[in-house]
Every structure is written in C-alpha cells, then in structure tokens.
Amino acid sequence: MTDRPLTLMAVHAHPDDEATSTGGVLAQYAAEGVRTVLVTCTDGRCGDGPGGVKPGDAGHDPEAVAVMRRRELQESCDVLKISDLETLDYADSGMMGWPSNDAPGSFWQTPVEEGAARLAELMERYRPDVVVTYDENGFYGHPDHIQANRITMAALEMTELTPKVYWTTMPHSAMQRFGELMREFGDMPEPDPAELAALAEIGLPDDEITTWVDTAAFSGQKFDSLAAHASQGENIFFLKMGKERFGELMGMETYVRVKDTTGAPLPESDLFAGLR
C-alpha cells in the first residue's frame, strides 16, 4: 500500500469531448478524492469560430479558434474539478474526409508511435490506475478519436502500468431515447430518417456494456462543463434541454472494460472496482 491517491486518466481528442462522455465520472471521482488527469490531444482548431462560423468559411481563423477553445477547456476543467490538464496540442484533423486530415502536423497524420511515446511519458508520471478513451472506431468514426484510441492503446503497451482500461460507449437504449428527444424539441429541425437510423447503430447493445456508472448526482456539473464550450454549435442541443432533462438523458455513463487485472466481477458500477 502507498499514500499515492487513486488516479483516473481520460484521453480525449478535442476540447469539449471530456464533458460529453466522461464529465460525470470526472466530477464524481474528483469529489471522492481520486486524482483526475485529462489529456486533450488536439487544439480544436477545426471547431466553430465566434458566431458559429464554420471551418473554411470567411472569418474562420483556426489559430484564434484554438486559443478560444483552450480557454473554454480550462473553464470546463475548473467546473469538473479536474486535478491535472495535459494538452498534446496536435492540430485538429477535422471530420473524416476533410482536407485538414492531410495537413502536416494534424493529429491524424502524426505517427502513432510518436503520439504514444508522449502519452507514455504522462502515464509514467501519473501512473493511472484507470485509463479511459474511445473504442477503435472513435465511437462514431472521427479520425482524431480513432487516433486517440491508437496512441492510448500503444502507450499502455509501452508502460504496462495500468490495472484497468475502458472504452467509452452508449447503450442502444440510450441512443434510441436520444433520437426520441430530438423529435420532441419543436424548435429543432426534423431529423433526417437516415441520421436517426445511423444514431441507432452507434454504441452497443445494452447487454454488451460491462460498466454502468450512475453519475446523476453530478449531471449539473457535467452540464456546466459542456456550457463552458458553448462556442461549439454541436453542444447547443444539449444545453437547450436544461439541466433536469440533461440529467435524465446523460446521468448514466457507460463503458466497455478492455483490460482488468483485479478480477472485479462484471457488470460493474465503479471504474475502480477491485482497486479499493
């Protein structure tokens, strides 16, 4: 036994990713005295600019967007009481198929071994007991999410320090509720049936999810951390829900356990099961 606190490391692609899929566990475990480390791999320069201006449009300044999003990221970390923020500052690659995928210095163009070596240094410094990142498809096929998975899994192999590793996911039942909620909002455009069908395929069947963490008590913090990234148009839908509806939809965070040395039985309700 040591005096070192239990440590959770979440590896995310962009500023604001920490809020949507792991904001609840980051806030909850911080409140329990766990050291929470957030690694953000890119600078978010392919996000919306002020006023919602899109990448490639007149008035979109990638450098200014990156500065703005770094500021928002720090505010989100303050809301979630994250202990340590580490930024790798690779250039945001944009959505799959964008020209920015091929830009020199983009995360997607970075050799996996290079990113993994940098992340391994952080793992050796913080010695996380639990690491969380995306699945091999980056949850929905975003190149930077896929790359975050690749460098994380490679860094874990390099270090062999971490007892438990998880990939974020969503149960199909929650994705169905999300689609229904989109239709409920009268001021939202009618979603395309093909988009709803694609939504239904994201995530996993409920019975394939190994870990269900009830973070409803921290959904207000999760909402506020997302609100810190209000410059990004994709977050506006969640913020329009209000905290109560947001908590109903986003108060359970779900994961697939892909490494475990503790023997903790499944399903589980605590990422640190078997470690305390």
Side-chain angles (χ1 to χ4, degrees), residues 25-208:
V25 293
L26 287 166
Q28 176 171 313
Y29 289 124
E32 294 176 7
V34 171
R35 186 176 196 177
T36 51
V37 181
L38 171 63
V39 181
T40 302
C41 297
T42 80
D43 58 9
R45 66 178 54 225
C46 290
D48 293 352
V53 63
K54 302 295 182 183
D57 290 350
H60 187 279
D61 180 345
E63 298 294 338
V65 170
V67 170
M68 174 183 67
R69 298 197 71 186
R70 180 63 174 80
R71 205 162 45 236
E72 292 177 334
L73 177 61
Q74 185 59 61
E75 184 180 342
S76 171
C77 288
D78 292 344
V79 168
L80 297 174
K81 311 297 183 187
I82 288 171
S83 310
D84 301 272
L85 170 63
E86 299 284 351
T87 54
L88 300 185
D89 287 325
Y90 291 109
D92 187 344
S93 309
M95 300 297 287
M96 190 67 82
W98 287 13
S100 49
N101 294 174
D102 301 321
S106 71
F107 192 35
W108 188 236
Q109 291 298 315
T110 298
V112 169
E113 57 271 22
E114 176 192 319
R118 293 183 63 195
L119 183 57
E121 289 181 7
L122 295 175
M123 290 179 175
E124 289 168 352
R125 183 192 313 169
Y126 291 107
R127 304 183 73 83
D129 302 282
V130 172
V131 169
V132 174
T133 193
Y134 316 100
D135 63 21
E136 293 164 308
N137 189 47
F139 186 58
Y140 67 99
H142 194 296
D144 288 332
H145 290 220
I146 294 169
Q147 188 76 329
N149 167 276
R150 290 173 177 172
I151 74 162
T152 301
M153 301 312 291
L156 288 163
E157 285 189 18
M158 290 177 184
T159 56
E160 298 185 334
L161 293 169
T162 302
K164 303 187 81 177
V165 180
Y166 295 87
W167 292 346
T168 60
T169 191
M170 286 282 280
H172 282 169
S173 60
M175 296 308 297
Q176 181 180 357
R177 288 197 303 274
F178 181 69
E180 292 167 354
L181 189 61
M182 286 178 71
R183 289 192 292 271
E184 282 180 28
F185 276 76
D187 60 344
M188 298 291 291
E190 184 66 23
D192 183 273
E195 291 180 358
L196 290 176
L199 264 181
E201 295 302 313
I202 293 176
L204 289 172
D206 290 35
D207 60 2
E208 293 183 21

